[in-house]
């Protein structure tokens, strides 16, 4: 019903013009027709005006129809003759005065009515918003005046005074001016003006691709918006920033927000500030699936997505957080990720650390967290872990102590990764993505122009190493001599084992609960005879279930263990805690583990092989 009322004024204008042309503007027809149309439109516009939905253009049409009533009822010989001769010129004149006069009296320009539909209320009073609408309204006033002059042209230029000439002057030329030039400039000018003022951002929509639908002339830019970031963020200028996208509609009190609060406490202690962005406070349009971002490099839709994305890409670390809604992320999170498609096709190369956070009522949080972990790569981030929980109602977590402890561990890992610029090793998922996306873009380079130019500019087509930003370490390669010595020792051990009877079972070596506990006991297990005259430092960089750096120094038959990196190390061993613990406790063959890449070594490999004789299990 309301949509019908919005179109009613323009339908009435068409009916009045058609009826007048068909009847030769006879009074017997025009008097009842003009009065009926005026009363019907006036009632409809009055109803919309009470709801603050009617625009000044609709009021202009009411004035035009009232002018028709006066012309055919009050002065049919004078004003009626003028109305019959120049009906469309009078309509364009009414629209001109509606656009030109109210701003002179201090009233809002008529384009402001349409701009407020797309701009947040916070920017309505900004100087930029009002300036752009004043200029657009003045431009439309010029177009209305030109349309009125075009409708009068056949009266002053006899060469146009024939049927098709009148059609062109009354309809075709105004349609080009208003429907073509007017709407195109209205869509283009706000972004142009913001760029001229230095408010444009990277990835702004191309001018050749205006948004379809109603005129989108609200001056919204990343810097002109009054965003809610001041309320959402505890960001401090002297801290690294972690941006968390919270997709829950339960701002502040929901389980997702409480999980982020646990992270915030620990991150603050580590010197990182958490900025929480609530998607429920922002306007996000759904992805149209037009693929323009793949072709042109940016999305044409004007909403809050670009502002949110700018803050995410500028952060030192990223958190994606969503409760489980019907076995998936919330609709707002899905919309945000869908709109970020172009960045998923164009790797950033930053590889900053990130976290995935999800909570459910008992089903689906693990899958959602894994999905969010993969989506972090869209924004140039990698997941250092996942924080998940089960909570039937807000904050009532199953195993609260475990959730709190996990939040603390992840916050420390995240802070360490930010401070030290840590990266996690590339995975098969990274390799598969690089192969798939690279082939897709190369095969469709004519359409996916922006994607192809990005990959070619960064050299991502050249190698997987270029994509992940990691290279093969020369120190991890096994020399041919070391490999031959290892094979020879295997053969000798096999021959000895086949000749000797199996040894009597021992009581068993001492078991250790952690690798750090084992390292602390290693000085007591040193073989002094084997270590005589030897001076060497072994450094261990441990990851996985335990994360630390320590070193073991051997000097002429004595060994000392110290936490932290060594000033100088002859051998550097990079290993997951569970791998080295299993090797030291005889549960895994060290040589085979090294050959299969379960741990890496830098430095003198002969000193690595000597460790077996230096320490007894």
């Amino acid at each position: 019903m309301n949509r019908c009322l919005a179109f009613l004024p323009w339908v009435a204008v068409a009916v009045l013009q058609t009826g007048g042309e068909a009847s030769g503007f006879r009074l017997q027809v025009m008097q009842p027709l003009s009065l009926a149309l005026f009363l019907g439109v006036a009632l409809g516009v009055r109803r919309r005006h009470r709801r603050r939905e009617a625009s000044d253009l609709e009021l202009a049409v009411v004035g035009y129809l009232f002018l028709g009533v006066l012309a055919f009822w009050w002065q049919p010989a004078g004003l009626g003759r003028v109305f019959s001769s120049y009906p469309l010129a009078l309509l364009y004149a009414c629209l001109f005065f509606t656009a030109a006069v109210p701003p002179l009296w201090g009233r809002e320009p008529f384009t402001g009515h349409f701009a407020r539909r797309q701009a947040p209320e916070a920017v309505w009073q900004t100087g930029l918003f009002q300036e752009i609408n004043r200029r657009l309204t003045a431009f439309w006033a010029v177009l209305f005046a030109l349309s009125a002059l075009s409708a009068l042209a056949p009266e002053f230029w006899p060469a146009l005074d024939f049927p098709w000439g009148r059609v062109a002057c009354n309809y075709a030329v105004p349609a080009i001016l208003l429907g073509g030039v007017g709407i195109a400039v209205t869509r283009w000018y706000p972004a142009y003006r913001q760029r001229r003022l230095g408010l444009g951002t990277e990835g702004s929509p191309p001018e050749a691709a205006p948004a379809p639908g109603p005129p989108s002339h609200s001056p919204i830019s990343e810097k002109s918006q009054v965003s809610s970031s001041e309320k959402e963020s505890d960001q401090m200028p002297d801290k690294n920033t972690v941006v968390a996208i919270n997709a829950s509609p339960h701002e502040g009190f929901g389980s997702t927000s409480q999980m982020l609060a646990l992270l915030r406490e620990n991150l603050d202690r580590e010197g990182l500030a958490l900025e929480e962005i609530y998607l429920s406070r922002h306007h996000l349009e759904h992805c149209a699936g037009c693929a323009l971002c793949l072709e042109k490099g940016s999305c044409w839709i004007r909403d809050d997505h670009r502002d949110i994305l700018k803050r995410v890409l500028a952060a030192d670390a990223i958190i994606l957080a969503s409760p489980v809604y019907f076995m998936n992320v919330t609709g707002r999170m899905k919309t945000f990720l869908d709109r970020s498609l172009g960045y998923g096709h164009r790797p950033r190369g930053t590889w900053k650390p990130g976290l995935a956070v999800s909570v459910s009522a008992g089903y689906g949080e693990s899958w959602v967290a894994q999905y969010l972990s993969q989506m972090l790569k869209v924004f140039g981030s990698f997941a250092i872990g996942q924080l998940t929980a089960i909570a039937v109602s807000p904050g009532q977590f199953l195993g609260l102590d475990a959730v709190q402890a996990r939040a603390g561990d992840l916050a420390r890992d995240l802070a360490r990764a930010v401070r030290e610029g840590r990266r996690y090793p590339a995975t098969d998922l990274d390799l598969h993505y690089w192969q798939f996306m690279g082939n897709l873009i190369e095969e469709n380079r004519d359409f996916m122009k922006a994607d192809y130019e990005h990959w070619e500019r960064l050299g991502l087509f050249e190698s997987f190493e270029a994509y992940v930003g990691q290279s093969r370490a020369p120190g991890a390669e096994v020399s041919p001599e070391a490999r031959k010595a290892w094979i020879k020792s295997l053969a000798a051990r096999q021959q000895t084992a086949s000749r000797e009877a199996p040894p009597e079972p021992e009581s068993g070596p001492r078991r250790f609960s952690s690798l750090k506990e084992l390292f602390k006991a290693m000085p007591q297990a040193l073989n002094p005879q084997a270590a005589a005259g030897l001076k060497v430092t072994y450094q261990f960089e441990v990851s996985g279930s335990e994360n630390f750096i320590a070193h073991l120094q051997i000097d002429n038959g004595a060994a000392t263990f110290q936490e932290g990196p060594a000033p100088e190390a002859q051998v550097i061993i990079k290993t997951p805690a569970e791998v080295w613990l299993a090797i030291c406790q005889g549960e895994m063959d060290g040589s085979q583990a090294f050959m299969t890449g379960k741990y890496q070594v830098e430095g003198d490999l002969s000193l690595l092989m000597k460790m077996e004789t230096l320490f007894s299990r």
Side-chain angles (χ1 to χ4, degrees), residues 233 235 239-245 260 263 267 270-277 308-321 350-357 376-377 379-385 410-422:
S233 171
Q235 180 178 354
K239 290 185 176 182
N240 293 104
T241 304
V242 180
V243 168
I245 301 296
L260 291 175
L263 289 170
L267 290 172
E270 297 290 336
L272 271 66
L274 179 64
E275 177 187 357
E276 190 171 359
I277 299 177
I308 298 173
L309 195 60
K310 179 181 177 182
R311 291 151 68 185
V312 169
L313 297 179
D316 299 292
I318 302 170
I319 299 176
L320 297 180
T350 54
W351 298 112
K352 60 188 69 175
L355 282 175
V357 177
L376 282 168
K377 297 177 183 178
F379 311 106
S381 180
F382 69 96
I384 67 164
L410 290 172
R412 286 187 290 273
D413 290 345
L414 188 68
R416 178 185 176 189
V418 170
R419 286 193 301 266
E420 301 178 5
R422 285 285 179 132

Side-chain angles (χ1 to χ4, degrees), residues 152-291:
L152 293 173
E155 300 297 327
F156 302 100
W157 195 356
L160 297 174
D161 192 11
F162 63 96
W164 284 109
R166 289 184 172 275
V167 170
C169 292
N170 282 281
Y171 300 102
V173 173
I176 294 173
L177 291 173
L178 304 179
V181 177
I183 292 180
V185 171
T186 299
R187 293 177 176 176
W188 162 80
Y189 180 73
Y192 165 78
R193 180 59 180 162
Q194 293 172 73
R195 288 196 299 272
R196 289 295 301 271
L197 294 175
L199 301 179
T201 59
E202 177 186 1
S204 57
E207 296 173 8
S216 175
H217 52 270
S218 58
I220 307 177
S221 76
E222 287 78 4
K223 296 186 180 180
S224 66
Q225 285 190 35
V226 179
S227 68
S228 57
S229 60
E230 294 83 3
K231 298 180 182 179
E232 296 171 344
S233 171
D234 291 334
Q235 180 178 354
M236 298 182 65
D238 58 341
K239 290 185 176 182
N240 293 104
T241 304
V242 180
V243 168
I245 301 296
N246 188 342
S248 171
H250 306 145
E251 301 175 9
F253 71 90
S255 295
T256 305
S257 296
Q258 295 191 39
M259 294 172 74
L260 291 175
L262 295 177
L263 289 170
R264 184 192 301 274
E265 297 173 4
N266 290 279
L267 290 172
D268 188 65
R269 284 193 288 269
E270 297 290 336
L272 271 66
L274 179 64
E275 177 187 357
E276 190 171 359
I277 299 177
Y278 296 105
L279 292 183
S280 58
R281 296 183 184 177
H282 294 270
H283 173 61
L284 292 174
E285 294 287 343
H286 295 294
C287 177
C290 63

Side-chain angles (χ1 to χ4, degrees), residues 55-75:
S55 68
D56 288 349
L57 297 184
E58 295 175 54
L59 297 176
V61 173
V62 174
Y64 170 72
L65 294 175
F66 180 67
L67 183 63
V69 172
L70 293 179
F72 295 115
W73 286 87
W74 181 45
Q75 286 188 339

Side-chain angles (χ1 to χ4, degrees), residues 136-155:
L136 285 175
T137 297
F139 178 74
W140 277 94
V142 173
L143 294 181
F144 291 139
L146 292 175
S147 298
L149 293 175
S150 174
L152 293 173
E155 300 297 327

Side-chain angles (χ1 to χ4, degrees), residues 352-372:
K352 60 188 69 175
L355 282 175
V357 177
S358 183
V359 59
S360 76
Y363 194 60
E365 78 281 355
S366 298
W367 186 92
V368 168
Q370 292 172 7
Y371 170 71
L372 292 176

Side-chain angles (χ1 to χ4, degrees), residues 463-607:
S463 65
F464 177 59
E465 287 81 0
Y467 164 66
V468 296
Q470 299 179 8
S471 58
R472 303 179 190 275
E477 296 181 359
V478 180
S479 65
E481 293 76 12
R483 182 173 179 272
K484 290 178 181 178
W486 170 68
I487 295 176
K488 187 176 180 180
S489 65
L490 284 180
R493 202 179 316 159
Q494 179 66 28
Q495 291 176 0
T496 302
S498 63
R499 289 195 302 264
E500 296 179 355
E504 292 292 329
E506 301 177 357
S507 58
R510 177 184 170 186
R511 310 297 295 179
F512 295 92
S513 59
S514 69
L515 186 57
K516 185 176 289 188
E517 180 185 359
L518 184 147
F519 283 157
K520 291 179 179 180
M522 286 183 71
Q524 288 74 34
L526 180 68
N527 185 342
Q529 290 77 19
L534 178 65
K535 185 175 182 179
V536 62
T537 300
Y538 296 90
Q539 179 169 302
F540 299 87
E541 295 183 8
V542 181
S543 60
S545 59
E546 299 177 59
N547 285 276
F548 65 90
I549 298 177
H551 64 278
L552 190 69
Q553 187 172 7
I554 300 174
D555 190 358
N556 197 22
T560 57
F561 169 80
Q562 295 183 21
E563 297 188 13
E568 182 179 2
Q570 287 71 44
V571 181
I572 299 177
I573 301 171
K574 299 179 180 181
T575 178
E578 53 272 18
V579 171
W580 198 258
L581 188 62
I583 292 172
C584 294
Q585 297 188 146
E587 299 170 357
M588 183 183 297
D589 185 86
S591 300
Q592 186 176 1
F594 176 69
M595 295 295 294
T596 55
K598 287 187 169 56
Y599 69 94
Q600 291 80 40
V601 178
E602 297 177 6
D604 192 343
L605 290 177
S606 63
L607 292 175

